[in-house]
Amino acid sequence: RGLLAKATPQLIKALSRAASPDEAFNAFDGFLRGLPAGVQIFSLFINRPDVFDRLVRIMTVSPYLAREVSRRAYLAEALIESSWPDETPTRAALDRKLAVRFAAADSYEGAINAVRRWASEENFSISAQLIVDLIMPEDAAARFTLVAEAALAALLDRVIAETERLQGPAPGEIVVVALGRLGARQLTAASDVDLMFIYDAAEESGSAPIDAVTYYSRVVRRYLSAVTMPTEEAALYEVDTKLRPSGSKGPAAVRFSAFHHYYAKSAWTFEAMALTKARVIAGGAALGRRVSDEIDAIIARPRDAAATAHEVDDMRERLKGAKPALSPWDLKTAIGGFVEIDFTIQYLLLTHPEAKPDDADMIGAFERANALTKEEAQILRNASRVYDAIHQLSRAAAGGVFAPGAAGADMRRSMSAILGARTIKDAEACLVALEKSVRVVYETVVAGLKGKTV
């Protein structure tokens, strides 16, 4: 009680700065209740004020993380034991850490829970370090992506092993293809993952106990259950598979030959656009190379620029009508937000294969190929940097779209700083101006070919 009395003034002062002090207090209370018996938390707060300050800032700035901590006591333990900022992780280092967790699991279900718990701890650490300004938004995106890749690849190995135990040896190979933000290495604290499953196998002889179509359908079904179904741990990720060939009407797992045929004969332009962010993240190495080469070949096919622009802009118009933006901060749907940047780059990827862009500097490659002017390239670069920073921070703090009226003072200051503004009102004005500039670039590069005027 004496330690609590010493810590209380600092605690009350910190919690009072939250946008919702009662919610922050309840989250802090839940955090304390979830701690294991015997932890001298208040002594720690007195002797390690840095830990206390970080914890309270997380609780006050991020209602999303506060809820996560109050629900899962092990996240609180991870916070207390942390030594931030930690080293930038590598995929190999993450694989080793995850292997230790798997080694302690005594069953298939235990392995699923182990990877979910490990990913929760890693993602919480990334989000918390972003909130307290220990890592940059672009670093957070890379880290979230590496954690997802490690977890999803490890689970695929476990699922295949379990399927072989139940059904016999696999008749071929299967790979997991990431699309969307995971494919683009831009994952956030609250992202779902877009996945596609491609397999290949020798032609069945008739003597096999189970055909390849059925076998890999069961692999994918078991895999999606391992990733998404609630257990004693929360789901690993929400998964969207609608970007697969034929969308939700198509098979969960598609044979490589069918994948090739579909994109040669039946795919719409928007499906080729989605492949511009696609990459293999798990599964058989040999098939993975073939799939990667096939994706590159699909993107590089000759296309009529005007016809492609027409289809790209038609898709943009449909999206505008289907889901209007909540505010300028709703960057996934705002006019001049992520969609305009993505569609401009995807259009250029599909119509300018001579640019040979790489992941590190696609915009620069299009500028050098004269597909973008210097001014247009600079607008897209700046907007990408600002949008990504806003998106990362808002997802880590709120689990969704940033709402200035519901955010605390610290969060509003952080958002204003991203846009180089002194107040959140000025920041929003800067954001609106930037979105208008991005829309002009899109209109000039893509929609202009339909005869539209800015």
Side-chain angles (χ1 to χ4, degrees), residues 174-382:
I174 187 169
V175 296
V176 179
V177 178
L179 303 105
R181 297 194 73 83
L182 177 56
R185 297 182 176 88
Q186 295 173 333
L187 223 56
T188 72
S191 291
D192 59 4
V193 293
D194 296 281
L195 302 178
M196 183 189 299
F197 302 92
I198 302 173
Y199 72 92
D200 204 15
E203 294 299 324
E204 287 84 357
S205 63
S207 61
I210 183 171
D211 62 89
V213 174
T214 303
Y215 192 97
Y216 284 112
S217 293
R218 292 178 181 178
V219 167
V220 172
R221 188 163 58 246
R222 185 170 284 119
Y223 183 75
L224 291 175
S225 177
V227 175
T228 65
M229 291 296 288
T231 63
E232 62 187 73
E233 302 292 346
L236 180 60
Y237 294 103
E238 294 297 322
V239 176
D240 191 336
T241 61
K242 291 194 296 291
L243 292 177
R244 67 186 187 271
S246 298
S248 57
K249 297 179 181 179
V254 60
R255 191 186 287 267
F256 178 78
S257 58
F259 175 79
H260 168 83
H261 179 79
Y262 181 83
Y263 281 93
K265 304 293 185 181
S266 305
W268 295 81
T269 295
F270 79 86
E271 293 176 294
M273 292 164 62
L275 287 189
T276 63
K277 293 185 177 183
R279 58 191 182 89
V280 176
I281 61 167
L287 179 58
R289 288 190 291 271
R290 292 170 62 201
V291 170
S292 296
D293 290 343
E294 182 68 18
I295 290 171
D296 290 342
I298 293 167
I299 294 170
R301 285 174 187 160
R303 291 177 174 84
D304 179 83
T308 302
H310 184 90
E311 294 182 36
V312 170
D313 196 49
D314 279 355
M315 174 57 66
R316 181 61 184 118
E317 291 301 308
R318 285 199 292 272
L319 290 176
K320 283 165 60 178
K323 193 173 183 182
L326 300 173
S327 73
W329 301 95
D330 188 4
L331 293 169
K332 290 184 68 174
T333 55
I335 305 301
F338 278 125
V339 174
E340 268 76 7
I341 294 178
D342 285 348
F343 278 24
T344 299
I345 292 174
Q346 289 165 358
Y347 165 77
L348 293 173
L349 282 167
L350 294 178
T351 57
H352 292 75
E354 76 282 357
K356 296 186 178 4
D358 57 51
D359 289 341
D361 189 22
M362 282 192 288
I363 293 173
F366 293 128
E367 182 184 355
R368 291 188 291 275
N370 296 317
L372 291 171
T373 67
K374 183 177 180 180
E375 181 182 7
E376 290 167 344
Q378 185 57 37
I379 289 171
L380 294 183
R381 281 195 197 93
N382 183 48

Side-chain angles (χ1 to χ4, degrees), residues 21-22 54 61 80 130 145 174 243 265 317 320 325 337 340 352 387 441:
D22 288 346
R54 286 176 182 174
V61 174
I80 292 169
L130 176 63
T145 300
I174 187 169
L243 292 177
K265 304 293 185 181
E317 291 301 308
K320 283 165 60 178
E340 268 76 7
H352 292 75
Y387 292 176
V441 173

Side-chain angles (χ1 to χ4, degrees), residues 89-99 102 111 114-116 118-119 122-123 142-158 176 178 182 187 193 223 227 236-237 279-283:
T90 63
R91 172 63 187 276
L94 292 175
D95 287 342
R96 287 193 295 271
K97 291 173 69 174
L98 186 50
F102 274 138
V115 70
R116 290 180 174 193
W118 173 83
E122 293 293 328
N123 286 331
R143 293 184 185 208
F144 284 129
T145 300
L146 282 176
V147 170
E149 290 176 5
L152 292 170
L155 268 186
L156 180 65
D157 291 341
R158 287 297 172 124
V176 179
L182 177 56
L187 223 56
V193 293
Y223 183 75
V227 175
L236 180 60
Y237 294 103
R279 58 191 182 89
V280 176
I281 61 167

